Amino acid sequence: MPTRKKFVAGNWKMNTTLAEAKALGAAVAKGVTDDRVTVAVFPPYPWLTAVGETLKGSPVALGAQDVSSEKKGAFTGEVSPAMLLETGCKYALIGHSERRHIIGESETFINHKVHTALEEGLSVVLCMGETLAERERGLQERVFQRQVYAACAGLTDEQFGRIVIAYEPVWAIGTGKVATPEQAQEAHAFVRSKLRQLYGDKIADSTPIVYGGSVTPDNTVGLMSQPDVDGALVGGASLKADSFLAIVKAAG
Ligand code: PGA
């Protein structure tokens, strides 16, 4: 059995004031005392540097919720991978369903972002998942296949080594409706089988595939008990240090 280290990340989305972000970063840093689980937080862009300061000396990594598909230049409002690296970010979240479905990011655009971020030295948390309508029509595996192939097209093995995949069923995000451990396992195993076809055993066995969508301290243990569930991407429950730390603990 391959052993993959668990990865738990908190996506703060468009929440927190500066003071709240600093307090949350400091509390998470204080609560994570070992590196049994890889832990990362994804604050809003303007708070990255300040939250990064609170994480200094702790094993908690910093990530950004998005990144530009371009390296530099006349792209008003965009933030480049190099800028994120300079704020102390290790990770960028790419392809979150709120960006796919609310902002309208396409598969091609997501693939472009993944390439730019990896070329510039970031690691990527790549999100994918089906909508409720797609699941009701039994299309989820077709959707995963399309999303994996499109997002990862053209990556080298070395680049793939810096990817974490987050399976996030859209119907479970922010709804309180969590996927059952069996549903999560089925999806993760299918995604891993696609990685095996595309990249071979080594990449398929070493890539973390984490679950996201209404993760709480209460449902973490059940989800983590599944062989292909390697951690969690947490939204709402990451906004309180206590619940986020309880999820980290339950994942370890
Ligand atoms: P949620 O969000 O935990 O609030 O459902 C998860 C996510 O969007 O990453």
Side-chain angles (χ1 to χ4, degrees), residues 39-200:
V39 180
V41 292
F42 291 72
Y45 277 148
W47 310 156
L48 284 170
T49 307
V51 174
E53 288 295 320
T54 70
L55 304 180
K56 286 217 169 111
S58 93
V60 180
L62 189 66
Q65 296 172 22
D66 188 27
V67 62
S68 177
S69 60
E70 304 301 326
K71 293 184 181 169
K72 66 184 288 194
F75 299 100
T76 302
E78 290 291 277
V79 179
S80 71
M83 291 169 185
L84 294 179
L85 286 163
E86 217 173 317
T87 66
C89 281
K90 174 170 184 194
Y91 296 97
L93 213 58
I94 298 182
H96 191 279
S97 78
E98 284 149 18
R99 299 206 62 86
R100 289 178 190 257
H101 298 293
I102 303 174
I103 314 285
E105 291 189 1
S106 69
E107 308 272 17
T108 317
F109 188 57
I110 289 166
N111 177 248
H112 190 170
K113 283 192 183 193
V114 169
H115 274 276
T116 306
L118 292 170
E119 276 164 25
E120 292 287 275
L122 285 165
S123 296
V124 167
V125 178
L126 173 63
C127 305
M128 55 186 65
E130 82 287 5
T131 63
L132 182 59
E134 288 162 341
R135 178 161 283 267
E136 282 173 350
R137 291 167 61 208
L139 295 176
Q140 60 271 27
E141 293 195 344
R142 262 203 247 174
V143 172
F144 307 153
Q145 169 153 328
R146 193 191 69 226
Q147 291 178 336
V148 172
Y149 278 55
C152 304
L155 298 181
T156 64
D157 284 10
E158 181 285 319
Q159 288 176 324
F160 217 97
R162 284 183 284 129
I163 288 198
V164 173
I165 291 184
Y167 165 60
E168 300 206 301
V170 179
W171 48 270
I173 296 178
T175 58
K177 272 191 223 147
V178 64
T180 64
E182 294 71 26
Q183 284 172 323
Q185 169 58 24
E186 205 176 56
H188 288 221
F190 182 83
V191 171
R192 201 177 301 288
S193 75
K194 294 293 130 192
L195 298 184
R196 207 172 295 287
Q197 272 177 10
L198 274 177
Y199 285 97

